[in-house]
Structures are given as C-alpha cells and as structure tokens.
Amino acid sequence: MSILEVKNLRKVYSSRLGGNRVEALRDVSFTVEPGEYVAVMGESGSGKTTLLNILAALDKPTGGSVILDGKDLSKIKESSVAAFRRDNLGFVFQDFNLLDTFTLEDNIYLPLVLAGRSYQEMSSRLAPLADRLGIGDILKKYPYEVSGGQKQRAAVARAMITDPKLLLADEPTGALDSRASDELLRLFAAINARGQTIVMVTHSVKAASSAGRVLFIKDGEVFHQLYRGNDTDELLYQKVADTLTLIATGGRRQ
C-alpha cells in the first residue's frame, strides 16, 4: 500500500477580485511507496513549491486529494492540522529554520516539547539520532556558533525525532557549500536506507540524482519520471540533466 497518494491534484489561485486566475497545478497524480526517496524538479513557476505546500498540509488543493497513510489531508479539521503535521511529517528547509536563542539540542526537542513528551523520552530519542548524524558533540551550541552543514544536520535531527511517516525537504542543499551538500546527500541516503520515506524538492541535479526516483513538473503537470533502477549516481545525473534540457527547450514529454 502506498504511503502517499496524490490524485488529480489541482490548485488555482485567484486575485482578490477574481479577475486573474493562475492554475499552479493541473491534474497531478502520483504515488510514493513506503521507503521511497523521490526528488521533485522543475523550473521556477512550474508548481513544485505549490505541490510541496499541499503535501505539507500548509495549503489546500482546489481539486483532487492527497492521502497520507490512508488519511485525506483535506479532511483534517483546521484545529487539528498543526498536530497532524507535527505527528506525521518531518520538514527540512533550505534556510534551516532554527531558533537562534535555543541551543541545537533545544531546537531538536521542540516538536516533542509541543507534543507534551517527557524529557526522558526526548533524551532517549535524541541520543542515537545525534550519534548517527554526527552532532552529539555540538548539541549545547547555538546555531550561530556552528557551520551551515552542522545547522542542517540539526534541522534533519529535528525533522526525524518525531519518527515521521514522511520527510519533506525543500531545497535542503540550497544554502550549503559543495562539501556540506555532499555530506547531507550521503546522510539522506543513509536515512532512506533505514526505511525513511523522503520527498525532496530541489533545483540541484546532483541532489536529485541521489534519489531513487525523479519526478519532473512542468506548467503544473507531471512531465516525466526517471527511476534509478541499476543506474549509478553519474548515469542518473546525466539523465536528469538531459530531461531538464528537454523541459527548457520546450520538448515534449516522453
């Protein structure tokens, strides 16, 4: 059974007076299986950010549905949405979204604090996670005292500490240098190998070629998909780059 089902998704934005209508998504359908690692790519304005916002239950579709682990996101009451996101989704952002007045440890604990978990439970969850992510020795530091790569590792820990059904990443390598980006992509691969389902929006061909499947969005529709199969990162990189060239030059879907 799919962990995520996106069915005939549409999103139309209208101006306040209803004069201008922009169709950001039109009839988007795909599924994600448990343990998959899917990258979503497309040019600016293609609809990928709108798609991510709907998957994150931050926005509601005009039509169609998003089913996460059997639950229709559009049917969740407004008063319950925040708790649903906290309990089922993990988020990794380009700009980390860490609170500078909190230590890395307290930033990571925040979702569990909001869920009312005990300190003992939070500590027992963080210890093995921090060890896997290589941040155990910097947990007492503040975000302004560590590197971008270390901030992003802390952000990944915050996303993972709730044991989410789905990890959503929005341009996670966008603010990192090449070395930190490579480290983060290796980290995502290791997390995915342990069974975590990941959907990542990215502009980076290198980031996308680390995933198991690449979904291309063009003009609000699914344009094409690439599956890794037995491809190496290098071969998938070339296929991703070729597909982006096809999109940029107005080619037809394959």
Side-chain angles (χ1 to χ4, degrees), residues 30-32 36-42 204-217 222-247 252-254:
F30 63 92
T31 60
V32 177
E36 260 201 292
Y37 180 4
V38 180
V40 179
M41 299 196 80
S204 166
V205 176
K206 187 168 188 178
S209 60
S210 70
R213 174 163 51 122
V214 186
L215 184 76
F216 297 89
I217 304 291
V222 175
F223 177 80
H224 186 50
Q225 296 186 67
L226 289 174
Y227 290 83
R228 170 179 295 277
N230 295 319
D231 289 352
T232 61
D233 285 0
E234 292 74 17
L235 185 54
L236 187 57
Y237 182 105
Q238 189 57 56
K239 290 181 177 180
V240 170
D242 289 346
T243 303
L244 290 176
T245 300
L246 190 68
I247 291 173
R252 297 175 180 241
R253 74 180 72 187
Q254 298 173 20

Side-chain angles (χ1 to χ4, degrees), residues 118-139:
S118 68
Y119 178 78
Q120 183 177 6
E121 179 183 351
M122 292 191 296
S123 181
S124 65
R125 285 195 184 202
L126 178 55
L129 191 56
D131 185 55
R132 287 207 310 272
L133 300 184
I135 56 173
D137 59 340
I138 59 169
L139 289 174

Side-chain angles (χ1 to χ4, degrees), residues 104-242:
L104 297 182
E105 182 178 55
D106 288 340
N107 268 284
I108 295 165
Y109 281 156
L110 193 55
L112 296 182
V113 171
L114 294 173
R117 304 298 174 85
S118 68
Y119 178 78
Q120 183 177 6
E121 179 183 351
M122 292 191 296
S123 181
S124 65
R125 285 195 184 202
L126 178 55
L129 191 56
D131 185 55
R132 287 207 310 272
L133 300 184
I135 56 173
D137 59 340
I138 59 169
L139 289 174
K140 300 300 183 183
K141 292 183 179 290
Y142 289 85
Y144 55 82
E145 296 180 305
V146 302
S147 69
Q150 289 171 321
K151 287 180 189 178
Q152 197 61 297
R153 283 174 175 263
V156 172
R158 181 185 56 192
M160 295 292 298
I161 200 164
T162 59
D163 193 22
K165 292 184 173 70
L166 179 63
L167 181 65
L168 296 171
D170 185 10
E171 300 285 0
T173 62
L176 303 178
D177 61 29
S178 59
R179 179 178 176 181
S181 294
D182 289 347
E183 290 176 351
L184 183 71
L185 293 176
R186 284 194 292 270
L187 180 60
F188 268 32
I191 290 170
N192 174 245
R194 294 175 67 94
Q196 178 63 57
T197 308
I198 303 173
V199 174
M200 172 180 65
V201 166
T202 183
H203 279 103
S204 166
V205 176
K206 187 168 188 178
S209 60
S210 70
R213 174 163 51 122
V214 186
L215 184 76
F216 297 89
I217 304 291
K218 179 182 180 182
D219 298 331
E221 298 179 289
V222 175
F223 177 80
H224 186 50
Q225 296 186 67
L226 289 174
Y227 290 83
R228 170 179 295 277
N230 295 319
D231 289 352
T232 61
D233 285 0
E234 292 74 17
L235 185 54
L236 187 57
Y237 182 105
Q238 189 57 56
K239 290 181 177 180
V240 170
D242 289 346

Side-chain angles (χ1 to χ4, degrees), residues 57-98:
L58 294 169
D59 199 359
K60 290 186 180 291
T62 305
S65 61
V66 175
I67 313 293
L68 177 62
D69 199 28
K71 192 167 187 69
D72 189 334
L73 301 194
S74 66
K75 302 291 177 60
I76 301 172
K77 293 180 180 178
E78 204 65 41
S79 59
S80 304
V81 168
F84 177 84
R85 281 198 296 265
R86 185 184 65 229
D87 295 340
N88 294 277
L89 301 170
F91 301 92
V92 180
F93 304 95
Q94 176 177 335
D95 56 359
F96 319 125
N97 281 17
L98 298 173

